[in-house]
Amino acid sequence: MSRLIGPAAVLVTLTLIITIGGCGGGTASDLASADTACALHGIVYTSGMQPAEAGQAPGAQPLYFAMVTIHSTSDNAYIADTMTNTHGHYYVPRLTRGVDVTVICEAPSGEIFMTRTRPNARDCTADIDEDTTLATQCVMFLSQAADGVVTDADRDAVWQTCIQFQRANRYQYGSLNGARPDFTDQEAIEQAAQALFDAAMN
């Protein structure tokens, strides 16, 4: 299996963290005008935690003081960075609407979580957990297989298929047999996501 560029390598370039109004703040390399921008925000969840609407595990906690970076999904270009606050909430002001982005979080423990989103006039939120991490990696596999030539509709379809399959099957696919991968190991994440991709798309 060919390797993707790991999120940890991307995070090395981070240089600025700002806190705004009690939430994590961010810096944008290309600030959008007010009519085309929104403030992207969400909550990063600890291992094993799912958004409430998907049956959040009792006792799970948001991940606080964790680095978050935003990159363009199409070419991995850096857009902004921030940090989660004491409630696990991250906030990035003035992100351009309509641009497909990948949001990557590295926990102090070394675990890597991510999600993808396309902020628009109706939705500028994106929570992050291990299910969104694997679904995001599925989209990366799709882009890799197509040499980067992938439509937004293709990304959306693969994202929805993978995340729904993961939430319904909880690692009960491929050779995982219910075993949660090590989210501190990019290769383990990729292997689990590959198994998810193969199972969900067949």
Side-chain angles (χ1 to χ4, degrees):
M1 178 195 321
S2 59
R3 292 295 308 278
L4 302 175
I5 297 174
V10 174
L11 295 173
V12 172
T13 62
L14 305 179
T15 58
L16 182 61
I17 302 170
I18 302 176
T19 300
I20 298 177
C23 295
T27 64
S29 57
D30 183 18
L31 293 180
S33 62
D35 60 339
T36 62
C38 70
L40 180 67
H41 61 97
I43 297 174
V44 181
Y45 294 101
T46 57
S47 304
M49 188 171 189
Q50 310 306 322
E53 64 271 19
Q56 183 172 311
Q61 297 293 321
L63 181 60
Y64 54 87
F65 301 138
M67 178 65 75
V68 176
T69 57
I70 294 86
H71 301 264
S72 167
T73 299
S74 62
D75 60 7
N76 203 37
Y78 168 84
I79 296 175
D81 64 78
T82 187
M83 179 171 279
T84 61
N85 66 9
T86 55
H87 304 290
H89 185 262
Y90 73 92
Y91 175 84
V92 181
R94 300 176 63 80
L95 194 67
T96 303
R97 291 176 177 157
V99 175
D100 199 305
V101 296
T102 302
V103 187
I104 303 168
C105 178
E106 183 169 15
S109 63
E111 290 185 306
I112 301 294
F113 301 106
M114 64 185 82
T115 193
R116 62 171 287 275
T117 188
R118 190 179 307 112
N120 55 56
R122 297 182 308 278
D123 187 11
C124 285
T125 63
D127 290 345
I128 304 172
D129 61 25
E130 59 189 56
D131 288 353
T132 64
T133 298
L134 296 184
T136 300
Q137 196 77 56
C138 282
V139 174
M140 292 179 178
F141 286 141
L142 177 69
S143 298
Q144 188 178 45
D147 294 325
V149 182
V150 181
T151 67
D152 287 343
D154 289 338
R155 290 191 190 99
D156 291 344
V158 168
W159 164 265
Q160 289 296 334
T161 300
C162 283
I163 200 164
Q164 289 172 10
F165 192 92
Q166 162 62 15
R167 287 176 173 171
N169 293 277
R170 304 302 308 155
Y171 307 116
Q172 297 288 345
Y173 48 79
S175 60
L176 295 176
N177 296 319
R180 175 186 177 275
D182 179 359
F183 280 84
T184 65
D185 184 342
Q186 180 63 23
E187 186 172 356
I189 296 172
E190 291 177 12
Q191 289 174 348
Q194 185 68 65
L196 171 62
F197 184 84
D198 293 343
M201 303 306 292
N202 290 325

